[in-house]
């Protein structure tokens, strides 16, 4: 149905003129849709409102995502800054521990005005301070020391390895960046105590820092040798000369008797965290149980001769006990422990302590005795004996500075044996041969072994006046091992000087 656009009169289908007003119908008529077919406005309103809300929500979501990313970035940067701050603070206030000595060369201990405190406070502001360790009182060599009370010490005449003046025990420490040797010498004994002098050479710590060698003095009370269940190896000038309640070098009589009677003992290992000019003790402890029912043969160099010592093997699990100054992430947990001790009630010398934990020198923490020397009434010149019988002498008692050809003063006893052998046998001509372990490259070790052999010859010629034409030198690096290079003791025995005669 159509209508006239001028007067609104209804038009017949196909009409070209309006019959009422006569207006021409010159364009197609426009149909008018019924009102009922037009959707009400409110039908569209929700759609428009919904579209706007969706767009708004999308925009808000995008802005929220950007904000989250931004905040996350700030938090991450803050976390990394905190990590760096904490790392620097720990290097300032907790330098990497040495294998036994050198605690005296660490920076000064922390107080409220030093760099460590400022960095630590900044680290706390950036989110934490929750992994800073327990509050533990510092101790130092400046603290007043209570003298040892009078107490008996077992007579050492019949001991397998006597703990007496002149006894020297050389340890090798397993660390992340290589082996480190240290020496503990018995300086004196008295009715109350045993005193030791400790020394170590240069070494590289787990973080790659180079440390100079140093020495220190320590005393153990006889009453602690009798009954203490705590054992220590770490030394250094920053800790008190006497620390009551612990032993060094050996188990106490009480601990050894427990092992012999029940096959078990509770042992605590005493260690320290360096605080510059002071230290804070920490402890690992646990029950150790005998592994083999019988003694095991433990290879050792005693008075420059390879022997087997009867040893008891103990094993167990150790954990950090008591208050611990170390950050929680640096504390060992459920650590596998192995201990070997000489089966001798007169001197149960600890031959090896191993704690296998990633936080302890990258799981390489191992303290092992590799050489023992002690005075005998009528010493045998082993160099002369071996050269006479075999035309070859192997000596382990010539010591060099770390990675150098500088001969240490403690090498003098063996050097004097060589001089005596050549004096007693004036027709002998000797070749000095240097040997190393396999740590380091082949070319480096070969050169080092040749330089060390040359240093021995030079010392014999210049200091002891041996004719230079009676000595020649050679070096073999790590190419002539006599033990495995997979263990501390094996590497220690491969670091040697040999002599051959024509």
């Amino acid at each position: 149905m159509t209508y006239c656009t001028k007067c609104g009169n209804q038009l017949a289908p196909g009409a070209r003129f309006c019959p009422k007003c006569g207006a021409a119908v010159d364009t197609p008529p426009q149909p008018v849709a019924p009102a009922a077919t037009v959707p009400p406005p409110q039908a569209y309103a929700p759609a428009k409102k919904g579209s706007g809300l969706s767009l708004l929500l999308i925009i808000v979501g995008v802005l929220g995502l950007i904000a989250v990313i931004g905040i996350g970035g700030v938090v991450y940067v803050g976390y990394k800054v905190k990590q760096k701050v904490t790392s620097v603070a720990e290097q300032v206030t907790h330098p990497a521990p040495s294998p036994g000595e050198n605690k005296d060369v660490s920076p000064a201990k922390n107080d409220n005005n030093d760099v460590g405190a400022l960095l630590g406070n900044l680290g706390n502001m950036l989110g934490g301070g929750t992994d800073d360790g327990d509050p533990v009182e510092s101790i130092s060599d400046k603290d007043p020391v209570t003298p040892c009370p009078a107490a008996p010490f077992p007579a050492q005449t019949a001991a397998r390895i006597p703990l007496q003046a002149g006894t020297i025990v050389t340890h090798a420490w397993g660390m992340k960046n290589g082996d480190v040797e240290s020496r503990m010498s018995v300086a004196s004994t008295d009715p109350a105590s045993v005193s030791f002098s400790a020394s170590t050479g240069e070494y590289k710590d787990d973080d790659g820092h180079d440390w100079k060698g140093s020495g220190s003095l320590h005393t153990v009370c006889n009453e602690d040798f009798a009954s203490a269940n705590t054992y220590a190896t770490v030394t250094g000038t920053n800790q008190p000369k006497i620390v009551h309640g612990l032993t060094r070098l050996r188990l106490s009589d009480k601990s050894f008797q427990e092992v012999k009677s029940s096959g078990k003992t509770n042992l605590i290992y005493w260690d320290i965290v360096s605080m510059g000019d002071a230290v804070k003790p920490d402890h690992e402890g646990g029950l150790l149980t005998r592994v083999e029912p019988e003694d095991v043969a433990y290879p050792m160099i005693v008075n420059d001769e390879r022997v087997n010592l009867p040893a008891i093997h103990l094993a167990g699990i150790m954990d950090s006990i008591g208050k611990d100054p170390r950050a929680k992430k640096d504390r060992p947990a459920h650590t596998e422990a192995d201990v070997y001790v000489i089966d001798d009630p007169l001197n149960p010398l600890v031959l090896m302590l191993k704690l296998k934990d990633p936080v302890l020198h990258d799981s390489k923490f191992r303290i092992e005795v590799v050489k023992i020397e002690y005075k005998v009434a009528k010493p045998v010149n082993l160099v002369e004996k071996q050269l006479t019988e075999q035309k070859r002498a192997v000596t382990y008692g010539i010591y060099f500075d770390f990675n150098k050809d500088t001969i240490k003063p403690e090498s003098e006893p063996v050097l004097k044996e060589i001089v005596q052998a050549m004096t007693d046998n004036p027709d002998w001509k000797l070749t000095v041969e240097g040997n190393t372990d396999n740590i380091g490259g082949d070319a480096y070790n070969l050169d080092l072994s040749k330089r060390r052999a040359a240093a021995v010859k030079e010392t014999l010629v210049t200091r002891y006046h041996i004719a230079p034409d009676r000595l020649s030198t050679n070096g073999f690096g790590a190419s002539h091992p006599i033990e495995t290079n997979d263990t501390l003791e094996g590497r220690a025995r491969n670091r040697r000087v040999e002599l051959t005669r024509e």
Side-chain angles (χ1 to χ4, degrees):
M1 186 179 296
T2 57
Y3 299 86
C4 177
T5 57
K6 185 174 181 181
C7 67
N9 183 46
Q10 182 175 345
L11 299 177
R16 298 183 60 85
F17 297 94
C18 175
K20 184 177 181 179
C21 66
V25 182
D26 53 359
T27 58
Q30 301 296 319
V32 179
T37 64
V38 179
Q42 57 267 30
Y44 291 94
K48 285 186 178 182
K49 184 176 180 180
S51 299
L53 179 60
S54 299
L55 180 60
L56 180 60
L57 289 175
I58 292 172
I59 294 173
V60 170
V62 171
L63 291 175
L65 179 61
I66 294 173
V68 169
I69 294 173
I71 293 171
V74 171
V75 170
Y76 177 78
V77 171
Y79 169 75
K80 297 303 288 184
V81 171
K82 177 182 179 292
Q83 273 195 325
K84 185 64 177 177
V85 167
T86 303
S87 174
V88 173
E90 287 182 354
Q91 290 181 20
V92 172
T93 61
H94 297 77
S98 74
E101 286 78 24
N102 286 319
K103 303 300 181 186
D104 52 310
V105 298
S106 305
K109 69 178 180 180
N110 183 34
D111 58 39
N112 290 332
N113 296 319
D114 68 7
V115 176
L118 294 175
L119 292 175
N121 291 336
L122 179 57
N124 290 338
M125 288 188 292
L126 287 174
T130 59
D131 196 22
D132 295 335
D134 299 327
V136 175
E137 185 177 356
S138 297
I139 58 176
S140 78
D141 59 323
K142 299 177 179 61
D143 296 340
V145 175
T146 303
C148 296
F153 186 76
Q156 297 292 292
T157 306
R160 293 183 183 274
I161 304 295
L163 197 63
Q164 62 189 20
T167 298
I168 304 172
V169 179
T170 300
H171 291 90
W173 293 67
M175 297 181 66
K176 180 179 177 180
N177 288 314
D179 301 347
V180 182
E181 286 194 357
S182 64
R183 290 158 63 84
M184 184 79 82
S185 305
V186 180
S188 63
T189 62
D190 60 48
S193 63
V194 179
S195 295
F196 305 90
S197 63
S199 65
T200 192
E202 300 175 357
Y203 71 96
K204 190 183 295 292
D205 68 18
D206 292 352
D207 297 321
H209 301 134
D210 293 316
W211 293 79
K212 295 180 179 179
S214 70
S216 55
L217 299 174
H218 301 271
T219 296
V220 176
C221 298
N222 290 345
E223 69 171 5
D224 291 326
F225 276 131
S227 60
N229 69 336
T230 301
Y231 173 69
T233 58
V234 65
T235 59
T237 57
N238 292 335
Q239 57 184 278
K241 182 179 178 181
I242 300 176
V243 179
H244 291 276
L246 59 79
T247 72
R248 295 184 183 274
L249 286 185
R250 49 158 283 182
L251 293 183
S252 70
D253 299 335
K254 178 177 179 290
S255 295
F256 182 77
Q257 289 163 7
E258 289 175 348
V259 170
K260 293 292 286 185
S261 62
S262 68
K264 300 177 181 180
T265 188
N266 278 291
L267 187 68
I268 297 173
Y269 179 63
W270 187 89
D271 205 351
I272 58 174
V273 173
S274 177
M275 299 298 294
D277 58 358
V279 299
K280 290 187 176 184
D282 61 73
H283 309 82
E284 283 84 60
L287 181 67
L288 300 181
T289 303
R290 187 166 188 167
V291 179
E292 298 86 359
E294 304 296 331
D295 291 348
V296 297
Y298 200 98
M300 186 58 55
I301 302 300
V302 179
N303 286 342
D304 220 26
E305 188 174 10
R306 191 185 188 282
V307 300
N308 286 321
L309 297 173
I312 297 172
H313 177 201
L314 302 169
I317 300 296
M318 285 189 169
D319 280 290
S320 170
I321 59 175
K323 289 188 175 182
D324 196 322
R326 294 170 294 186
K328 292 181 178 62
K329 63 182 178 61
D330 295 329
R331 299 177 188 177
H334 305 300
T335 300
E336 297 177 18
D338 280 279
V339 175
Y340 287 81
V341 58
I342 294 179
D343 190 355
D344 182 4
L346 299 177
N347 185 24
L349 192 73
V350 176
L351 298 174
M352 191 265 281
L353 168 69
K354 179 173 69 173
L355 300 177
K356 188 177 181 181
D357 195 288
V359 304
L360 299 174
H361 302 300
D362 198 26
S363 294
K364 293 181 172 61
F365 184 77
R366 181 183 179 116
I367 309 162
E368 187 155 4
V369 176
V370 293
K371 282 179 264 188
I372 303 172
E373 303 160 61
Y374 64 90
K375 293 180 179 180
V376 296
K378 295 180 179 180
V380 175
N381 188 328
L382 289 177
V383 170
E384 186 171 6
K385 183 176 184 294
Q386 292 179 71
L387 287 171
T388 300
E389 297 175 354
Q390 307 166 25
K391 291 190 174 184
R392 176 177 290 275
V394 180
T395 177
Y396 305 94
I398 299 179
Y399 301 95
F400 299 90
D401 286 342
F402 179 70
N403 280 347
K404 295 180 181 178
D405 56 13
T406 305
I407 298 176
K408 288 178 169 291
E410 51 263 41
S411 307
E412 187 174 1
V414 172
L415 293 173
K416 286 184 175 180
E417 284 189 359
I418 298 172
V419 171
Q420 188 62 52
M422 298 193 77
T423 301
D424 294 343
N425 302 274
D427 59 330
W428 281 4
K429 290 187 176 181
L430 303 181
T431 299
V432 183
E433 300 173 353
N435 297 270
T436 69
D437 59 28
N438 68 342
I439 296 178
D442 290 341
Y444 176 82
N445 284 328
L446 180 62
D447 176 67
L448 180 62
S449 66
K450 290 179 179 293
R451 288 189 286 114
R452 285 181 169 177
V456 173
K457 174 181 177 177
E458 182 182 5
T459 300
L460 293 173
V461 170
T462 59
R463 187 188 305 171
Y464 298 101
H465 311 295
I466 300 297
D469 61 352
R470 297 181 64 191
L471 294 166
S472 58
T473 65
N474 204 348
F476 299 101
S479 63
H480 289 177
I482 58 175
E483 300 279 353
T484 177
N485 276 304
D486 295 332
T487 63
L488 282 170
E489 68 272 17
R491 290 192 292 271
R493 286 190 276 276
N494 287 334
R495 297 190 293 266
R496 70 195 188 279
V497 172
E498 295 195 15
L499 303 166
T500 59
R501 71 178 180 91
E502 297 178 0

